[in-house]
Amino acid sequence: MAVAVLVAVVTNIILFGALATWAIVAAHREPSDRIRPLLWVTAAMAGAFVLSAVTRLVLVAARLDLVPGRTDALVGSTWVFVQALVATTLGLVAVVVLRRVGESLSRADRVANSLSERLVDGLSVEDVDLTRREREVLDLIGRGVTSDREIADELVISPATAGTHVRNILRKTGMHNRRELALIGMTSMDTNRVPG
């Protein structure tokens, strides 16, 4: 039975180590300020599980006489106390971060749901009578290029002309702001990309 426990503990170390590594790499690559804290909390909690599993591994190895020393000395050691303290601290931090991020994501989800309810079902850029240039502007907005200056720089036009195109797109689509246009632009830019 102790050998099965040893195998299970080593498997835990490998899996939680992989999860911690993935979360760290993903946190570095994640552009969203809302998602990044979740990835860091995931990495920290996975790291705490790895520390806990390493302690269990040493205890099982001591029971199997694979490592020298007495197990009861490890159980009452400062190492186990520090590990428990770190895990508890990480758990409390995780609760605070998850609550804040959860509230933020919940608000974002409500906004997205509200916008999607306002959008006409199946609205496609093809259904709206946009000029070629307006489609280009909408594509840029869908990619996050939203200011008149940024649009103008991308299309080599004046900011005033870019603003006129945006106002025309808003009027033609019935949307109220650039965020709503970005939603349409993101959902349609792959299927309705303007040929270059």
Side-chain angles (χ1 to χ4, degrees):
M1 181 65 173
V3 173
V5 172
L6 187 66
V7 170
V9 170
V10 169
T11 303
N12 282 341
I13 292 171
I14 293 169
L15 290 176
F16 283 111
L19 176 61
T21 302
W22 169 84
I24 290 168
V25 170
H28 282 290
R29 293 182 180 166
E30 179 59 46
S32 171
D33 290 336
R34 290 188 174 130
I35 304 299
R36 198 175 308 111
L38 291 175
L39 293 169
W40 283 117
V41 165
T42 300
M45 293 308 296
F49 282 121
V50 168
L51 284 175
S52 177
V54 167
T55 301
R56 285 193 314 274
L57 179 66
V58 171
L59 291 171
V60 171
R63 182 171 288 165
L64 293 173
D65 293 326
L66 298 175
V67 293
R70 293 182 34 209
T71 324
D72 58 347
L74 179 63
V75 171
S77 72
T78 305
W79 164 249
V80 173
F81 174 72
V82 169
Q83 174 196 339
L85 193 60
V86 167
T88 301
T89 304
L90 287 174
L92 292 173
V93 168
V95 167
V96 171
V97 169
L98 291 176
R99 183 177 175 124
R100 286 185 182 167
V101 171
E103 289 170 357
S104 175
L105 290 175
S106 177
R107 281 192 304 274
D109 187 52
R110 286 193 306 271
V111 168
N113 285 337
S114 174
L115 283 176
S116 65
E117 288 170 5
R118 289 181 51 206
L119 295 175
V120 179
D121 284 336
L123 177 66
S124 168
V125 174
E126 298 299 322
D127 298 336
V128 181
D129 187 26
L130 298 178
T131 66
R132 180 178 175 275
R133 183 60 87 180
E134 288 167 348
R135 289 174 192 259
E136 291 173 346
V137 169
L138 182 60
D139 183 53
L140 287 172
I141 291 171
R143 288 189 283 141
V145 179
T146 58
S147 76
D148 290 343
R149 169 60 58 197
E150 292 171 324
I151 293 168
D153 289 347
E154 288 284 328
L155 298 178
V156 193
I157 58 177
S158 74
T161 302
T164 299
H165 287 310
V166 171
R167 284 189 298 280
N168 289 339
I169 298 167
L170 287 168
R171 180 180 45 78
K172 290 178 179 181
T173 60
M175 297 296 109
H176 297 92
N177 56 48
R178 293 170 195 241
R179 287 182 185 155
E180 292 178 5
L181 287 181
L183 187 60
I184 294 173
M186 285 187 304
T187 58
S188 62
M189 71 181 170
D190 290 331
T191 58
N192 299 304
R193 192 170 299 281
V194 178

